[in-house]
Amino acid sequence: MKLSRTSVSMGVAAVAICASQFAAADDSFWYIGGNIGQSRAKIDDARIANQLLGAGLASPSIANDDNHSAYKLFGGYQLNKNFALEASYFDLGQFGYTATTVPAGTLNGNIKLRGVGMDMVGILPLTQKFSAFGRLGMNYAQAQDSFSSTGSVASPTIPNPSKNALNYKAGLGLQYDVTKAFGLRAEAERYRIDDAVGNKGDINMISVGLVYRFDEKKPAPVQKEAPAPAPVVEAAPIFVIVPVIKLQRYCSILDIQFEIKQDEIQREEKEKLAVVGTFLNKYPDTTAVIEGHTDNVGSSEYNLKLSLRRAEAVVSYLVDTLHIAPARLSAVGYGEARPIADNSTREGQQMNRRIDAVIACATDVAGLKVVPARMTMALEMDFDPNKTDIQPQYYGELHEVANFMKANPDVTAAVEGHSSNMVGKVHISAEKSMEISSLRANKVMDYLVEKEGISRSRLSAEAYGRTRRVAYGTTLEGQQENRRVNIIFNYPKK
């Protein structure tokens, strides 16, 4: 029997081991990396023995080499937090066997495997640093076989056959982000392979590796304090609570609304944007985040895209018409995730179809005289876990709030209390969160009345519990951001 017949006995059969692991990522960026690990194949000893028997040879023993070091190099583009495309070069190593025959002889077979792959990667963030991912794609692998024999085993007619073939690949993994740029991976992958003599099988690879991200979206730059008060505007706003830039005591919020499923700016709304443009041109060190929102009519995916289009339309108007530098503006779409009114009513849906502009503004409000305004100022205060006491570092800011209200007797203020859904790893009930946020708001209101002499009729306390969190609360920093009181100044409508 020629070796070309016996060589088919080198079967590479499936070993179904796919470890359940996880991976992580953020928004859109390019990345590269590399993995190193162990590959494993299952050698089909029964098939080898049967082929030898067909050639009139007995095989009392077969020694297998079914493990080998393996590696891959990869690069990809993450489109969003849940999806990426990834290309790779892989080397799965070498596998083989040695069969001893009767009459005396040996048959040796080896296969080397390497190639390239292209995967779709689905990502499931678990925490800020961990995320699960799964991959499904194609591999184009080159199989290089080699065969040799001694003794009674016939010499091969083609001792070194090779073959290139396209097959599927799949895998699961875990990634831990050490920093924003570097991550650690652990993966289990399966590669479907054709050898050079007509067999198909699976090679499994377990590996660990490093990931480096670049072109990642950076956070907004730290804002400088503007040297002058907020701009002149004309109508009372509808408010939405947003995280306040930490280096600013005050921020400005603009509200404009859209018609159903529309992203075109109406003529009357352009007047409001002119006020924003005037303010940004007057104070060139300020920046603005334009936030788009929708009601809950339609799919969440559609609403998310619609809200981003609305925000981008406002940014384009500010850049093209009002000549604001693009670097000072950023657009964010929140879809239906941050309603400010009840979506079960037509009026509530209209209020939720909106744009908010969060603009850095002056910290010094001394002597500021209020005129009819579309913009408001919000003061943020943090609290310790489950505490309602006002921290002493806020006394000075509350004194400034009081002086501002005394200088502008027509202004009223809403004191809004908020809390987190967790303290450390302990979940807080909705009822307890609401109670704590109410106590916080009332404590601040009482301070302004009793210590600063502001009439109670000009103040209102509102509790939101954990319903308007500005962070997920899975980290201590996020929990701290959620434990807050916002003071919203309401300008008179004239």
Side-chain angles (χ1 to χ4, degrees):
M1 171 72 63
K2 295 183 178 179
L3 184 62
S4 58
R5 245 183 108 183
T6 59
S7 65
V8 268
S9 59
M10 183 181 169
V12 185
V15 175
I17 303 174
C18 276
S20 181
Q21 321 253 10
F22 310 94
D26 274 329
D27 267 339
S28 58
F29 50 84
W30 293 94
Y31 63 92
I32 58 173
N35 281 29
I36 188 169
Q38 190 81 21
S39 58
R40 177 180 291 271
K42 184 177 181 181
I43 309 299
D44 193 344
D45 292 347
R47 187 170 185 178
I48 297 172
N50 288 335
Q51 292 292 331
L52 290 171
L53 285 173
L57 302 169
S59 179
S61 67
I62 299 176
N64 292 325
D65 179 11
D66 55 7
N67 289 286
H68 206 276
S69 297
Y71 71 89
K72 70 172 182 175
L73 304 174
F74 58 87
Y77 183 71
Q78 184 158 318
L79 297 156
N80 54 52
K81 69 176 183 178
N82 296 121
F83 187 75
L85 295 175
E86 187 173 300
S88 62
Y89 169 81
F90 58 85
D91 188 330
L92 298 178
Q94 176 174 296
F95 309 97
Y97 66 87
T98 298
T100 304
T101 66
V102 177
T106 61
L107 172 64
N108 301 297
N110 292 281
I111 184 171
K112 293 181 180 179
L113 296 167
R114 65 190 65 181
V116 294
M118 175 64 72
D119 296 341
M120 296 181 295
V121 183
I123 304 160
L124 177 63
L126 301 176
T127 70
Q128 287 186 333
K129 290 184 176 292
F130 282 99
S131 292
F133 69 87
R135 64 175 68 251
L136 182 64
M138 305 298 292
N139 79 83
Y140 186 72
Q142 180 185 64
Q144 295 179 314
D145 292 6
S146 63
F147 299 97
S148 63
S149 63
T150 64
S152 61
V153 181
S155 298
T157 57
I158 305 177
N160 299 298
S162 65
K163 182 178 181 178
N164 298 328
L166 182 67
N167 285 292
Y168 77 83
K169 66 187 295 282
L172 297 170
L174 170 72
Q175 183 170 307
Y176 174 76
D177 293 327
V178 180
T179 67
K180 287 183 177 295
F182 284 97
L184 301 176
R185 277 189 177 183
E187 291 193 70
E189 295 175 277
R190 169 170 289 181
Y191 294 79
R192 186 69 168 175
I193 297 295
D194 291 6
D195 69 11
V197 289
N199 296 307
K200 289 182 178 288
D202 294 325
I203 306 294
N204 295 282
M205 176 179 171
I206 306 295
S207 62
V208 295
L210 293 173
V211 182
Y212 175 73
R213 305 178 195 163
F214 46 98
D215 290 341
E216 185 179 10
K217 293 180 180 179
K218 301 297 188 296
V222 174
Q223 311 301 322
K224 299 180 181 179
E225 295 184 0
V232 174
V233 287
E234 296 179 2
I238 298 170
F239 304 104
V240 59
I241 302 305
V242 295
V244 174
I245 299 167
K246 292 299 181 180
L247 294 185
Q248 297 285 347
R249 292 182 188 169
Y250 300 99
C251 69
S252 296
I253 304 171
L254 168 71
D255 175 80
I256 65 176
Q257 296 176 351
F258 286 82
E259 296 303 317
I260 296 174
K261 295 186 178 180
Q262 298 299 313
D263 55 17
E264 183 179 355
I265 304 170
Q266 301 301 310
R267 183 174 61 184
E268 58 269 27
E269 306 297 356
K270 292 179 180 178
E271 180 186 353
K272 299 180 183 180
L273 291 177
V275 176
V276 176
T278 299
F279 179 83
L280 292 172
N281 282 319
K282 184 175 181 180
Y283 304 112
D285 290 331
T286 59
T287 60
V289 178
I290 308 300
E291 300 179 342
H293 306 267
T294 69
D295 57 30
N296 67 346
V297 178
S299 69
S300 298
E301 180 180 2
Y302 173 83
N303 287 333
L304 191 63
K305 293 178 180 178
L306 177 61
S307 66
L308 181 58
R309 290 203 306 270
R310 289 173 174 171
E312 289 173 341
V314 170
V315 169
S316 296
Y317 183 84
L318 290 171
V319 171
D320 298 338
T321 305
L322 302 178
H323 310 297
I324 307 301
R328 299 173 61 195
L329 303 169
S330 59
V332 180
Y334 289 105
E336 62 192 53
R338 295 187 177 183
I340 58 171
D342 187 355
N343 272 310
S344 65
T345 67
R346 185 176 63 182
E347 294 77 12
Q349 291 173 355
Q350 176 67 39
M351 293 171 68
N352 289 330
R353 296 190 296 268
R354 69 192 192 281
I355 283 289
D356 297 309
V358 183
I359 306 171
C361 59
T363 60
D364 182 10
V365 295
L368 176 64
K369 297 298 181 182
V370 175
V371 295
R374 295 185 181 93
M375 296 186 183
T376 67
M377 292 184 292
L379 168 66
E380 182 183 84
M381 299 171 56
D382 293 332
F383 287 80
D384 291 329
N386 287 334
K387 301 295 185 181
T388 61
D389 296 332
I390 301 171
Q391 299 180 38
Q393 64 262 34
Y394 296 115
Y395 292 165
E397 296 182 359
L398 289 174
H399 183 67
E400 291 183 20
V401 169
N403 287 341
F404 175 73
M405 295 188 71
K406 290 174 182 177
N408 300 276
D410 292 333
V411 168
T412 61
V415 183
E416 301 182 342
H418 305 267
S419 66
S420 181
N421 61 330
M422 297 181 70
V423 175
K425 296 184 178 181
V426 179
H427 285 270
I428 306 301
S429 69
E431 294 79 11
K432 184 65 174 178
S433 295
M434 190 65 71
E435 177 187 352
I436 293 172
S437 65
S438 177
L439 289 172
R440 288 171 177 166
N442 279 282
K443 276 285 186 81
V444 172
M445 186 173 69
D446 290 343
Y447 184 93
L448 290 171
V449 172
E450 297 168 5
K451 302 294 185 181
E452 297 292 346
I454 303 300
S455 171
R456 192 176 294 273
S457 63
R458 298 175 63 193
L459 302 168
S460 63
E462 301 174 8
Y464 290 94
R466 63 190 193 187
T467 61
R468 293 190 178 181
R469 287 174 288 148
V470 296
Y472 285 110
T474 54
T475 65
L476 295 178
E477 293 81 3
Q479 293 170 17
Q480 180 68 41
E481 289 184 27
N482 290 330
R483 295 189 296 266
R484 68 194 191 281
V485 159
N486 291 93
I487 299 179
I488 307 296
F489 296 120
N490 302 299
Y491 301 156
K493 191 172 182 178
K494 297 182 180 179

